[in-house]
Amino acid sequence: MKAPIRVEVNGKVENETVEAATPLVDFLRHRLGLTGAHVGCRSASCGACTVLLEDRVVKSCCVLATEADGCSVRTVENGPDNGLDDVQQAFVDCQGMQCGFCTPGMVVSVRALLDRNPNPTRDQARHAIAGNLCRCTGYTNILNAIDTVAQRRRNSSMD
């Protein structure tokens, strides 16, 4: 069964018709060409497909596209038109990724954390990324990236 949906994705309104059982991650990747949300587990265990739905961190593999009808979705692609945003740059500078598979979901989770808490403690940062599994880095460099971007934002606000 098909259903019409209207979703604002990264600031752009999308009117589409989807199969009722289509996961949001598949809609984003296959219908809209936004391949940043990765498909890892399809069980909300790994966080590779993390997006913001109405500013809530969600695993898009376990949300139906029809559930996003009338909502706002922000993906890892919701950044500057050219180059990296400050979170992505901190991941690069701190070597917060190795294979890169988890990185988009981590970036989305970190953006959400820093939007609501510009100066997180290490424990708060750990809690914010707890739903994102990384099999390569051991998380230390990811946590360093969070500290780095928070510090850079503090320094730039003092200028």
Side-chain angles (χ1 to χ4, degrees):
M1 182 170 153
K2 294 195 179 231
I5 61 171
R6 183 176 207 257
V7 183
E8 181 186 313
V9 180
N10 297 332
K12 181 181 176 196
V13 175
E14 304 287 351
N15 290 295
E16 298 281 341
T17 301
V18 297
E19 290 292 330
T22 301
L24 181 57
V25 69
D26 291 340
F27 171 72
L28 295 169
R29 291 179 63 81
H30 304 300
R31 292 293 288 277
L32 301 184
L34 299 172
T35 58
H38 294 161
V39 178
C41 65
R42 292 207 183 264
S43 65
S45 298
C46 74
C49 66
T50 300
V51 300
L52 297 180
L53 178 62
E54 294 293 303
D55 294 323
R56 286 185 348 262
V57 174
V58 299
K59 311 297 176 47
S60 63
C61 69
C62 291
V63 173
L64 297 176
T66 54
E67 292 178 276
D69 183 35
C71 295
S72 168
V73 175
R74 289 188 293 157
T75 70
V76 71
E77 290 92 351
N78 186 46
D81 291 334
N82 297 318
L84 304 176
D85 71 10
D86 59 347
V87 174
Q88 293 166 318
Q89 189 61 56
F91 268 70
V92 172
D93 295 344
C94 297
Q95 299 178 4
M97 77 296 242
Q98 287 180 15
C99 82
F101 194 78
C102 72
T103 304
M106 287 281 189
V107 166
V108 170
S109 292
V110 171
R111 286 176 181 164
L113 166 67
L114 294 173
D115 282 351
R116 69 179 182 275
N117 181 357
N119 295 302
T121 65
R122 274 282 167 128
D123 283 341
Q124 291 167 329
R126 280 186 194 93
H127 180 75
I129 64 169
N132 299 82
L133 297 180
C134 177
R135 293 185 172 103
C136 299
T137 68
Y139 301 95
T140 300
N141 290 346
I142 294 168
L143 294 168
N144 290 343
I146 296 169
D147 292 342
T148 296
V149 72
Q151 181 65 44
R152 286 176 181 168
R153 286 181 181 183
R154 282 192 303 274
N155 291 344
S156 70
S157 70
M158 292 179 186
D159 293 341

